[in-house]
Amino acid sequence: MSASEEQPKRDDLFANPLGNVPRFVFDKAVVDVFPDMIQRSVPGYQTIINLCGELAARFVQPNSNCYDLGCSLGASSFAMQREIAQPGVRIIAVDNSAAMLERCQLLLKSTVSDVPVELLEADICDIEISNASLVVMNFTLQFIAVEKRQALLEKIYAGLNPGGCLVISEKLLFEPEPLNTLLSELHHQFKRAQGYSDLEISQKRDSIENVLIPETLDAHIQRIKACGFNSASPWFQCFNFASLVAVK
Ligand code: GEK
């Protein structure tokens, strides 16, 4: 059975009491359950992935590059690949988890397309971005140290062609604190409705604390503008998750 035909395994990584909850890492255990984990944890995930395809149809320029930064198993890349009709385009899918890229490579083998997807194992802060017409960063910036985020966005802006598009999807922080608590609780309610227990929700939260650093929507928009984009806007939000689009 090929990787793409396998039934995604149910995420039960935090189902049993773990004592000292380990710091979250993107290892083989996470890879095995990743499609189920992200679908049941991120409200609107599939809508956001689908939009990447629609933006690819709209923004991708002939003979240009598309980037999927923090590609995991390549969901955004495959959505873009399906919709790109322009000639001479390649998708560069970057992740620093070898386990993710190994599985992504297997999934890639079962896609049929004229648009090549090149997998790159690297830190997205270290790669070169050039001749880009679409850069997608779905739920990855939140894992980059806050002090490195500005330089990363400046690099993306510099590497985008005029008319090129940037998509950033993130978990958000809200101010003041009671509003943040409300939106976190609504998210936890969403997770409960997806079948996660209170123990799973609280252990996952402990594991990801200080690994995923959310910022406010304002902080994201101000940074995107400070990097040179004239405007940026959320096109999607559900609870404390949003996706923003900015055009150069
Ligand atoms: C999707 N976009 O399915 N450099 C490269 N990759 C990194 C870095 C870094 N510095 N830090 C984290 N990653 C995907 C989902 S998941 C989101 C993205 C989540 C990678 C990390 O290895 C993981 O694969 C991905 O970013 C984040 O739409 O699990 O919440």
Side-chain angles (χ1 to χ4, degrees):
M1 196 188 289
S2 76
S4 58
E5 289 162 337
E6 272 176 32
Q7 279 297 333
K9 282 197 196 123
R10 191 163 173 88
D11 170 23
D12 61 358
L13 296 182
F14 296 96
N16 298 314
L18 295 171
N20 264 346
V21 180
R23 189 182 154 86
F24 192 83
V25 284
F26 291 97
D27 59 8
K28 169 86 168 61
V30 168
V31 168
D32 285 343
V33 300
F34 189 75
D36 180 68
M37 172 186 275
I38 199 150
Q39 293 272 0
R40 289 199 293 132
S41 303
V42 176
Y45 173 74
Q46 196 55 50
T47 302
I48 292 169
I49 295 299
N50 294 346
L51 188 270
C52 293
E54 284 159 31
L55 291 176
R58 186 178 284 253
F59 282 97
V60 171
Q61 302 161 351
N63 307 309
S64 69
N65 297 324
C66 297
Y67 290 84
D68 178 4
L69 304 181
C71 62
S72 298
L73 302 186
S76 312
S77 291
F78 298 137
M80 293 191 272
Q81 192 189 39
R82 281 192 288 273
E83 298 298 331
I84 293 171
Q86 301 287 1
V89 175
R90 63 182 180 143
I91 299 170
I92 299 154
V94 188
D95 207 288
N96 64 355
S97 159
M100 280 289 184
L101 287 186
E102 204 174 301
R103 181 66 54 86
C104 187
Q105 181 69 56
L106 282 177
L107 295 169
L108 181 58
K109 276 192 187 146
S110 45
T111 70
V112 180
S113 169
D114 292 338
V115 180
V117 178
E118 295 173 15
L119 302 187
L120 182 59
E121 186 182 332
D123 186 320
I124 58 172
C125 297
D126 298 335
I127 63 159
E128 189 198 330
I129 297 199
S130 62
N131 185 25
S133 54
L134 178 59
V135 177
V136 170
M137 202 159 28
N138 278 336
F139 308 106
T140 304
L141 190 61
Q142 58 198 15
F143 294 108
I144 303 297
V146 173
E147 64 275 13
K148 290 185 168 179
R149 293 180 188 182
Q150 174 93 17
L152 174 58
L153 286 204
E154 283 172 5
K155 175 173 76 175
I156 293 170
Y157 183 80
L160 267 173
N161 296 336
C165 177
L166 168 66
V167 179
I168 298 182
S169 308
E170 288 278 290
K171 186 174 190 181
L172 296 177
L173 180 73
F174 289 83
E175 288 169 347
E177 181 49 36
L179 184 61
N180 198 49
T181 303
L182 171 64
L183 287 154
S184 297
E185 285 176 4
L186 291 174
H187 174 228
H188 291 161
Q189 209 166 317
F190 165 84
K191 290 188 73 167
R192 257 178 242 118
Q194 299 297 314
Y196 282 115
S197 68
D198 287 340
L199 178 67
E200 286 177 294
I201 293 169
S202 82
Q203 292 194 132
K204 172 75 181 280
R205 190 185 52 211
D206 293 348
S207 175
I208 208 112
E209 205 180 4
N210 302 323
V211 177
L212 187 167
I213 312 288
E215 293 178 288
T216 63
L217 185 57
D218 271 2
H220 282 294
I221 290 179
Q222 277 176 27
R223 183 186 294 115
I224 292 170
K225 287 187 180 168
C227 291
F229 291 92
N230 285 330
S231 59
S233 171
W235 67 270
F236 176 90
Q237 186 184 331
C238 185
F239 312 132
N240 46 356
F241 289 82
S243 184
L244 292 91
V245 64
V247 179
K248 181 167 176 179

